[in-house]
Amino acid sequence: MITILDQLPENILDVDATELYKFVDNHTLVHLAGQIKRPLFISILQHGDEATGWDAIKILIKQNINKLPRSLYILFGNVQAAKENLRQLEHQPDFNRCWPGIHKQHNDVAMKMSQITEFMANQNPFASVDIHNNTGRNPHYAGINSLKSEFINLASLFSDTIIHFTSPDGIQSGAFAKFCPSVTIECGMSGTADGIEQTLTFLENLIHQSTLESVPGFVEHRQVLNIFSTVKVKPDISIAIAGKETSPVNFVINNDLDYHNFHLLEVGTVFGQLDDESTEMPFIVTDQIGHDITDHYFEKRGKNICTKQKVVPAMITQSIRAIRLDCLCYLMHPAIQY
Ligand SMILES: [Zn+2]
């Protein structure tokens, strides 16, 4: 069964994400009643080291205490991992791959996510917001799984940089997209002041917003980029970031590669160097349905691994742990204006 509280535990607003485990369990839902009954759903800390959601919610609630304009449901994700400041604990799956999707999953986390989804579908939410951070340098952007106008309007309240994606499977915003406008927001690196500020402004805006059929803003600024593939490093290839090698590895990834995020890269842009010309291609690039399209996008030039097409990368990370757990980056097609 899922735990649903009708108020926040006392003094919880005074603690950082690392202390939340003392107040709530993983997957706790908190309902806070507001003037407009139809709730806004907010998901935080699905990844335990991404604290911006909690940092922004604390301020939002303090500023609106006892006079919330709209009811909220807040879902606390992985507070156990947050205690250790980790994305997830060793024995845990990635929470944001366990939501109801195309592939049925049977682990305990997936069962919870499925119950939460069913419960929330019955609450008829106004919108759903899932708050994340990146480990690399990225602009703050919003991700949507549908190009319906309410989704684009919701995303544009957060940022003019919007990406559309349909994989990976099992993400929260994908599951909720079936019954309400849903967005994943990526608020830069965890804990940075500008990310918290932008998230707070967005949530403030949303709890006052009466409709998503039209929203204020400049339509001509809205550009939606389309994610079409994922770049992973093969598990048997040893890797390091240039300048941070502690022992010889197969593939050294360029330092500051994350500066390329959201920029159109020319053909021949170097991502890193192999230890030897005979070492195999270190990447596997897959499209949205899992086909291997590596040869179309990357090639070896001597020891260098270079792009073969013009592409826009997103979410390039310089964290070896994140590369191993998730991926090196995503590739996107240039923007379409909406
Ligand atoms: Zn995340």
Side-chain angles (χ1 to χ4, degrees):
M1 285 304 292
I2 45 178
T3 308
I4 304 168
L5 309 178
D6 58 8
Q7 58 183 31
L8 283 166
E10 211 175 328
N11 300 327
I12 196 173
L13 293 176
D14 298 330
V15 303
D16 288 335
T18 49
E19 306 281 319
L20 283 173
Y21 73 96
K22 295 176 184 167
F23 298 85
V24 287
D25 295 325
N26 286 356
H27 319 293
T28 301
L29 257 181
V30 178
H31 176 237
L32 300 177
Q35 279 158 18
I36 308 171
K37 293 287 163 265
R38 198 174 170 201
L40 171 68
F41 175 84
I42 307 171
S43 152
I44 58 166
L45 287 165
Q46 287 212 71
H47 298 137
D49 56 351
E50 301 175 9
T52 292
W54 175 241
D55 293 338
I57 278 194
K58 277 199 286 191
I59 307 170
L60 179 79
I61 292 171
K62 283 179 183 167
Q63 285 178 354
N64 292 280
I65 209 135
N66 301 327
K67 53 171 174 54
L68 269 175
R70 177 183 287 284
S71 297
L72 298 180
Y73 271 98
I74 302 164
L75 176 65
F76 289 86
N78 201 338
V79 297
Q80 287 171 10
K83 178 187 175 193
E84 313 293 340
N85 195 28
L86 290 173
R87 181 182 172 96
Q88 73 214 48
L89 299 179
E90 215 59 63
H91 62 277
Q92 292 176 324
D94 185 330
F95 280 20
N96 204 28
R97 303 289 182 273
C98 294
W99 293 86
I102 300 162
H103 304 287
K104 230 178 164 30
Q105 301 180 70
H106 300 284
N107 62 57
D108 291 350
V109 175
M111 301 277 274
K112 284 266 192 224
M113 300 316 200
S114 155
Q115 289 168 352
I116 291 167
T117 305
E118 200 183 318
F119 173 82
M120 283 311 305
N122 288 326
Q123 308 309 310
N124 187 27
F126 171 67
S128 160
V129 178
D130 187 23
I131 307 176
H132 288 259
N133 293 106
N134 293 146
T135 47
R137 279 160 286 217
N138 282 284
H140 303 162
Y141 64 89
I144 48 177
N145 312 104
S146 161
L147 291 170
K148 286 183 203 148
S149 62
E150 286 187 330
F151 286 67
I152 297 174
N153 288 343
L154 171 64
S156 71
L157 288 173
F158 179 69
S159 171
D160 288 333
T161 307
I162 301 170
I163 61 174
H164 172 243
F165 57 103
T166 52
S167 86
D169 191 34
I171 66 169
Q172 189 276 334
S173 63
F176 278 43
K178 297 201 169 51
F179 54 85
C180 71
S182 309
V183 68
T184 305
I185 61 169
E186 297 278 356
C187 315
M189 300 221 219
S190 184
T192 50
D194 57 342
I196 297 169
E197 180 72 37
Q198 192 170 340
T199 304
L200 178 62
T201 306
F202 173 57
L203 296 177
E204 275 284 358
N205 215 325
L206 268 184
I207 58 176
H208 289 96
Q209 192 78 25
S210 59
T211 176
L212 291 169
E213 277 159 28
S214 63
V215 297
F218 300 100
V219 172
E220 61 270 27
H221 287 175
R222 287 180 204 165
Q223 298 202 318
V224 182
L225 291 135
N226 205 306
I227 288 195
F228 66 91
S229 68
T230 310
V231 181
K232 296 200 183 223
V233 176
K234 291 176 183 165
D236 55 328
I237 295 280
S238 57
I239 51 172
I241 303 296
K244 294 176 184 162
E245 307 98 318
T246 49
S247 55
V249 293
N250 299 131
F251 182 58
V252 176
I253 298 165
N254 281 9
N255 197 0
D256 292 335
L257 194 64
D258 53 347
Y259 274 119
H260 290 320
N261 280 332
F262 287 84
H263 294 286
L264 181 62
L265 302 184
E266 293 301 324
V267 174
T269 302
V270 178
F271 271 48
Q273 282 82 35
L274 296 169
D275 53 349
D276 191 279
E277 285 186 30
S278 64
T279 303
E280 63 177 320
M281 165 61 69
F283 296 159
I284 305 176
V285 185
T286 47
D287 67 12
Q288 298 282 75
I289 47 170
H291 291 143
D292 186 336
I293 51 171
T294 315
D295 290 346
H296 199 61
Y297 289 96
F298 288 97
E299 64 183 354
K300 290 204 279 183
R301 292 189 188 173
K303 289 183 182 179
N304 284 337
I305 298 297
C306 304
T307 54
K308 230 172 135 180
Q309 302 278 335
K310 281 191 176 184
V311 289
V312 183
M315 288 173 267
I316 295 175
T317 175
Q318 302 262 271
S319 154
I320 298 291
R321 199 180 146 82
I323 294 170
R324 288 300 186 198
L325 279 173
D326 194 12
C327 61
L328 173 67
C329 67
Y330 296 90
L331 301 179
M332 304 188 290
H333 290 304
I336 304 159
Q337 290 212 327
Y338 284 85

